[in-house]
Amino acid sequence: MTLLDTTLKQGSRISPLVLISRYGTFVAFVALILFNIAVTPHFLSWQTFNVNLTQVATIVIVATGMTLVISTGGIDLSVGSLMAISGALAPMTFMGKLFPIENTALAVALAFVIPVAVAALLGAFNGLLVTRFSIQPIVATLVLFIAGRGIAQVMTNGNLQVFKTPSFQFIAMGNLFGIPAQVVLMLIIAALAYALIRYTVLGTQILAVGGNERAARLTGIPVKRIKIFVYMISGALAGLAGLVVIARNSASDANVVGLGMELDAIAAVAVGGSLLSGGRANIVGTLIGALVIQLVRYTLLANGVPDAAALIVKAGLIILAVFIQQRADKV
């Protein structure tokens, strides 16, 4: 039973701020769609639908991992840099720069496995810094935020890696039942994360850690292992998103892959209604929040507003979301 259901059953009034906190993102999403239908030419075309979904796919993939981290009371600033590392490793693998592989299918398979595994291990490293050395998450993940992109640039000597490998690029360029493969991947990841949080003991423990870490520890919940787990998942999903980006671009550039993604992911989580202080994870909200951010950008561009304005609006959305959360929690 939701807070709204409980309040209505008791016959008491519910604060407008609570309603906005719970349902404001969805209302904004619907309002943006209706506005674009009325104002933006060709908004209802398949091309527009496809562009917006493919643009938002990587944000949702990364933001799903970010939601899990934030729900434990943490933050992960390293996701963009981990995307760059993963994006640098993949071409090096299937092009034989890491080690010679004559079997093309095996090379492509390893190009998926190795980068994601490395990103997951680096995510676990973030978790170790937070748990073993008691470093604040924003500082712990700042290490790879800075060093990670440098590692990717050193790996590639700062050079652009151009490729044309259809079997690898299917993750971004292919279609499944007429739906872009990256969108299918996005929905699968969001559905798995939703099931984890909603229906598993582990999901309950993740929220318990973010809600009250001391109480969670006293009840026997393995707080440190759970924190390492969510950072590892965040790293793995960032690595996967990096593969989608380079597959879509047919090139890997360590200088730009994942640049600013940490901000997009945090914005999607904040706008989606998950508490930035931890204890609540709204996976569906994160998905809708990412769509809202993408639609805001699309709406501005389609109506002749410079892209720089979208950054200002995005910052405003984050401030508004956090403000509403804080005020709603005091009601």
Side-chain angles (χ1 to χ4, degrees), residues 39-319:
V39 174
T40 306
H42 311 297
F43 178 73
L44 292 179
S45 67
W46 167 251
Q47 183 179 2
T48 299
F49 180 72
N50 185 66
V51 166
N52 279 292
L53 279 181
T54 53
Q55 287 294 321
V56 84
T58 50
I59 299 176
V60 173
I61 291 171
V62 176
T64 299
M66 186 72 75
T67 303
L68 297 179
V69 170
I70 287 177
S71 67
T72 64
I75 197 81
D76 189 354
L77 298 181
S78 70
V79 289
S81 296
L82 295 186
M83 287 177 66
I85 291 175
S86 176
L89 272 173
M92 293 176 68
T93 303
F94 63 70
M95 294 170 69
K97 294 180 181 179
L98 280 183
F99 40 79
I101 305 174
E102 294 186 4
N103 188 308
T104 303
L106 177 60
V108 170
L110 290 176
F112 284 107
V113 174
I114 292 175
V116 173
V118 169
L121 287 174
L122 291 173
F125 170 75
N126 284 333
L128 283 173
L129 290 181
V130 172
T131 57
R132 184 66 62 87
F133 298 99
S134 301
I135 300 175
Q136 289 292 327
I138 195 170
V139 177
T141 58
L142 189 63
V143 173
L144 279 176
F145 170 81
I146 297 171
R149 191 165 299 278
I151 292 171
Q153 290 168 337
V154 169
M155 288 166 53
T156 61
N157 292 318
N159 297 324
L160 180 70
Q161 298 184 92
V162 181
F163 55 86
K164 187 177 181 181
T165 310
S167 55
F168 174 79
Q169 292 179 262
F170 181 83
I171 191 174
M173 310 294 284
N175 288 278
L176 294 171
F177 309 107
I179 303 173
Q182 57 187 304
V183 175
V184 174
L185 180 64
M186 171 193 79
L187 294 174
I188 290 173
I189 289 171
L192 289 174
Y194 177 83
L196 170 68
I197 292 296
R198 187 71 183 267
Y199 300 113
T200 70
V201 173
L202 177 58
T204 302
Q205 291 177 336
I206 288 172
L207 298 182
V209 169
N212 190 323
E213 183 176 326
R214 185 171 181 273
R217 186 177 288 107
L218 291 175
T219 58
I221 294 175
V223 172
K224 291 183 178 180
R225 277 186 289 176
I226 284 174
K227 285 188 175 183
I228 292 173
F229 171 76
V230 296
Y231 280 101
M232 183 176 68
I233 294 299
S234 180
L237 292 180
L240 185 59
L243 301 186
V244 174
V245 169
I246 67 166
R248 185 168 59 215
N249 296 334
S250 301
S252 172
D253 186 350
N255 301 299
V256 298
V257 172
L259 194 65
M261 180 59 77
E262 59 283 337
L263 301 180
D264 286 335
I266 293 170
V269 176
V271 173
S274 295
L275 289 177
L276 295 182
S277 57
R280 188 170 77 208
N282 190 341
I283 301 296
V284 175
T286 295
L287 173 61
I288 298 175
L291 287 169
V292 166
I293 292 170
Q294 172 59 27
L295 274 179
V296 166
R297 180 172 182 267
Y298 174 84
T299 302
L300 293 174
L301 289 175
N303 289 279
V305 180
D307 193 30
L311 298 175
I312 299 173
V313 174
K314 188 188 302 181
L317 286 173
I318 296 173
I319 294 172

